[in-house]
């Protein structure tokens, strides 16, 4: 099943790198990755990615006020690779599978052996 992915940054944390004398250095991101299949069913993974101050390269540093969401998503997506990307995909696919074939919890008192079970509504 092919998925279409939509990524979004949901929050940032920033600090000052005293050693390099750079203000507003992004050191933490939270984000979502939503995968949608051809039927329109989707699942969302919520992630957090830290960026240690030791990874700041003054030569390629982008001032905070000049950052775009695409810049930050590029940093995140460079980390979400290999087994991490497989984990994200697995979680999204589990959510989609539950939409297609939901698991319905049967409350106590509605078991088939109870005297007058309440009919369980069909899954939609």
């Amino acid at each position: 099943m092919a998925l279409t992915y939509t990524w979004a940054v949901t929050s940032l944390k920033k600090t000052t790198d005293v050693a390099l004398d750079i203000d507003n250095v992004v050191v933490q991101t939270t984000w979502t990755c939503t995968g949608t299949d051809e039927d329109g069913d989707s699942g969302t993974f919520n992630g957090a990615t830290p960026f240690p101050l030791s990874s700041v390269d003054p030569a390629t540093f982008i001032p905070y006020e000049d950052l775009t969401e695409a810049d930050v998503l590029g940093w995140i997506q460079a980390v979400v690779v290999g087994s991490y990307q497989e984990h994200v995909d697995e979680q999204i696919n589990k959510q989609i599978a539950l939409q297609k074939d939901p698991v319905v919890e049967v409350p106590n008192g509605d078991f088939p052996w109870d005297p007058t079970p309440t009919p369980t509504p069909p899954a939609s």
Side-chain angles (χ1 to χ4, degrees):
M1 145 176 57
L3 299 180
T4 301
Y5 292 97
T6 304
W7 294 72
V9 176
T10 57
S11 73
L12 299 173
K13 290 184 181 178
K14 59 185 182 168
T15 191
T16 297
D17 187 330
V18 177
L20 296 175
D21 193 29
I22 301 174
D23 290 330
N24 299 320
V25 178
V26 174
V27 292
Q28 175 76 39
T29 61
T30 57
W31 49 272
T32 61
C33 177
T34 300
T36 305
D37 71 7
E38 58 277 353
D39 297 328
D41 295 317
S42 64
T44 299
F45 183 90
N46 298 297
T49 302
F51 296 100
L53 281 175
S54 61
S55 68
V56 175
D57 179 355
T60 59
F61 180 77
I62 302 170
Y64 184 80
E65 60 273 6
D66 295 335
L67 282 176
T68 65
E69 185 175 29
D71 293 327
V72 177
L73 288 173
W75 303 341
I76 294 165
Q77 291 169 349
V79 173
V80 183
V81 295
S83 62
Y84 191 8
Q85 178 64 51
E86 290 170 10
H87 172 71
V88 170
D89 288 342
E90 181 179 296
Q91 298 308 309
I92 289 171
N93 281 310
K94 281 182 185 179
Q95 292 175 28
I96 291 171
L98 282 173
Q99 290 175 33
K100 293 183 181 307
D101 189 17
V103 175
V104 178
E105 182 173 349
V106 178
N108 190 3
D110 283 347
F111 302 139
W113 54 86
D114 289 331
T116 53
T118 307
T120 303
S124 54

